[in-house]
Every structure is written in C-alpha cells, then in structure tokens.
Amino acid sequence: MNASSVASVPAPDFDALAVGDIVAEQSFPLTRDALVRYAGASGDFNPIHYRDDIAKAVGLPGVLAHGMLTMGFAVQPVVDWVGDPGRIRDYQARFTRPVVVDPEVGAVVAVIAKVGQLDADARTARIDLTVKVGDETVLGKTQVVVGLG
Amino acid sequence: MPVNPELQGRALPPSEPYLVGREKVREFARAVFATNPIHLDVDAARAAGHTDVVAPPTFAVVLQALALDELLAQPDTGIDFSRVVHGDQRFTASRAIVAGDELTAQLTVTSVKTLGAHSMVSAATAVTDASGDHVVTAISTLVVRGDD
C-alpha cells in the first residue's frame, strides 16, 4: 500500500510568494496534561517531563516540555497553510532553550512562519519558524522545506 | 564513563516491521495539536488523495525512539541516559506516513564527538516501507552531559 505523495488539496501559489512573507502565525498554550499526552503518544517517558522532584534533582528549573513536542506542534501552522503534510519535504530544529511548563499557569509558545528562501527550479519554499516563549527563542534554526510544484 | 568513540559507524540491524495504526496516528496528531482533518478523518484523507489518515511530519520520532532505545540498551555505549539531552533533530521525507504503512527502521551512528566534558552522538534512522522504498530519515543529535 502506497500513499500518494501528490495530494489533491490545492497548494499555495508558489509564484505569489516573496521572501519575508509571513504565511502563518499561531500560539499554543501548553499545560501539564499536554506533556503527559505527548509522553504517551510518542513513547518518551523521561520523568523530567512530568515530575517536579526529578526535574529539580537533575538541576532543571522545573518540568520541561519535550523538545519534540514543541517541534511537533510548531510545524502545524505550516501544515495547515500548505494543506497537506505530504508536502513537507524536510524539517529541522535545534533545541536551544527548554520550555518550562508551570503546573498552574503552563506556558505559551508563539510560532511565526516566514518565507526564508524560494527555489524556482524545484518549486520549493523554505519556511523559517520563529518559536518563542515571551521574548525568548526556544527552538533555533527551525526550517521547513515545502514542495509547492 | 565517557561515550565509547567506537560507536561511530555502528549500524543496528533493521527493526521488526512497525504497523502504523489509524488510532495511533490520531493519538499522535492530538498530542501535537494537529487539527487538520487529514490526520483524523479517513474520508478527508482519502479526498486528499491518501489511502488513510496521514501522520504529522514528526511522527517518525516514534520509530526513531524505538531504535535509540535499542542502541542505548547495548552494554558498551558509555551513554548514561539520565545525562542525555536532545540537541537537534531533522526529518527528510520522501512521502508522508499513512495508517496501514508497514515500516522498518534502521539506525546508524553517524558521528561521536567530544566537546569539553560533553559528548555529541548523532544517529540517522532510515525508515522504509514494505516495498523497500524510502519514506523518511530521522537524524538526531544527543548531547551527553559530562560531569559538571
């Protein structure tokens, strides 16, 4: 059984894009239950993602979101913009700063997706993501290459 | 114990086939706030040209985690898991993963570097489907913190 890599959902118009365009923006409120849900779905049960005592014992400021959880939702505004996850060719991120998730107030992660580079021959766009909690960037070099041909 | 430098170049045997379940795709999609109906609704996925619900772009982390667990279970790695943090991650995809895919993962340690007291272990997990075609490669760098 093979999935079709070319979907029938219309893609954004490559020719209408310019470097610097903001294509999507979204904020994600994170709570402790989101961390537990991701632990179960991903199989990453490192206790620093749900136990305050263990997080403190290993010198962390508190319970942290999984880096892969933040990377996982940061791409969703781009998926919604391109219409189909099959158009995501390449996606990378550096985990530069942990996201501390307070037991009561949680944390809010803001994502801005901007056109970083256009390849007219391949008809691909590199979308650069800014991923921040407050004024602090939590993911570095977060780039998504999407095929729009 | 330092990370064993001889890990560089080590290739694990290919994993047992992993059958991607529809409910697993839905569970993972909900966990990463993926609300596009293509991830959740079979009719929406089929209308978009897929055979079944489509996994979010980072789903291959599930297979990568199983492969990394196998690597860490080897007795000679020198990697203390409680000191491991995730440094970076990349997915290079030929196509999206869909429910019903039977996937095999194969991990290779691509580099082991020492930076002061810390070690950085990079691994590439190549995921192929039942036809042997490439689906996605997940590339991960683990930072193993040394003594502070």
Side-chain angles (χ1 to χ4, degrees):
Chain A
M1 161 162 11
N2 283 312
S4 164
S5 57
V6 181
S8 54
V9 177
D13 180 6
F14 180 86
D15 297 315
L17 294 177
V19 170
D21 286 355
I22 291 177
V23 297
E25 246 178 301
Q26 198 174 336
S27 282
F28 296 89
L30 276 188
T31 53
R32 286 288 175 87
D33 57 297
L35 272 49
V36 174
R37 186 185 286 267
Y38 185 77
S42 68
D44 182 344
F45 293 101
N46 190 330
I48 62 167
H49 302 304
Y50 55 87
R51 278 188 57 174
D52 297 87
D53 56 336
I54 289 180
K56 288 218 169 65
V58 297
L60 297 171
V63 160
L64 309 180
H66 306 71
M68 280 308 306
L69 169 57
T70 306
M71 186 178 181
F73 64 69
V75 75
Q76 296 310 326
V78 180
V79 172
D80 290 338
W81 172 67
V82 296
D84 192 306
R87 296 196 175 102
I88 309 283
R89 305 268 178 86
D90 193 279
Y91 179 32
Q92 63 177 311
R94 281 188 193 145
F95 304 107
T96 48
R97 187 176 274 116
V99 176
V100 179
V101 181
D102 182 88
E104 286 176 12
V105 300
V108 177
V109 183
V111 178
I112 298 172
K114 200 183 271 194
V115 179
Q117 203 174 57
L118 293 165
D119 183 333
D121 292 331
R123 294 186 76 77
T124 56
R126 195 191 78 208
I127 308 300
D128 297 345
L129 304 181
T130 307
V131 185
K132 287 185 169 185
V133 173
D135 294 331
E136 294 194 321
T137 298
V138 295
L139 294 184
K141 202 191 176 193
T142 313
Q143 300 180 343
V144 195
V145 177
V146 297
L148 300 174
Chain B
M1 183 167 64
V3 173
N4 181 357
E6 288 174 11
L7 280 186
Q8 183 163 317
R10 183 174 299 182
L12 296 183
S15 69
E16 289 293 311
Y18 177 100
L19 179 60
V20 179
R22 188 181 284 166
E23 299 307 337
K24 185 68 192 180
V25 168
R26 287 175 170 148
E27 179 194 18
F28 190 90
R30 290 190 185 103
V32 294
F33 305 94
T35 51
N36 191 314
I38 214 165
H39 301 296
L40 306 166
D41 181 68
V42 180
D43 291 338
R46 289 194 176 143
H50 298 280
T51 50
D52 210 309
V53 291
V54 184
T58 61
F59 183 85
V61 75
V62 173
L63 285 107
Q64 177 185 267
L66 294 170
L68 282 171
D69 284 349
E70 257 182 71
L71 177 72
L72 295 172
Q74 300 202 341
D76 66 338
T77 65
I79 298 171
D80 173 358
F81 185 59
S82 70
R83 292 184 164 274
V84 168
V85 293
H86 204 164
D88 59 51
Q89 179 70 40
R90 182 170 192 168
F91 300 95
T92 303
S94 296
R95 67 164 174 90
I97 292 171
V98 295
D101 272 334
E102 199 172 289
L103 302 176
T104 301
Q106 205 265 311
L107 178 145
T108 305
V109 178
T110 50
S111 85
V112 177
K113 289 178 191 155
T114 305
L115 200 71
H118 307 315
S119 298
M120 306 209 308
V121 179
S122 299
T125 303
V127 176
T128 48
D129 64 19
S131 315
D133 292 330
H134 179 259
V135 177
V136 59
T137 298
I139 301 163
S140 181
T141 300
L142 304 179
V143 181
V144 188
R145 292 152 62 212
D147 292 326
D148 299 323

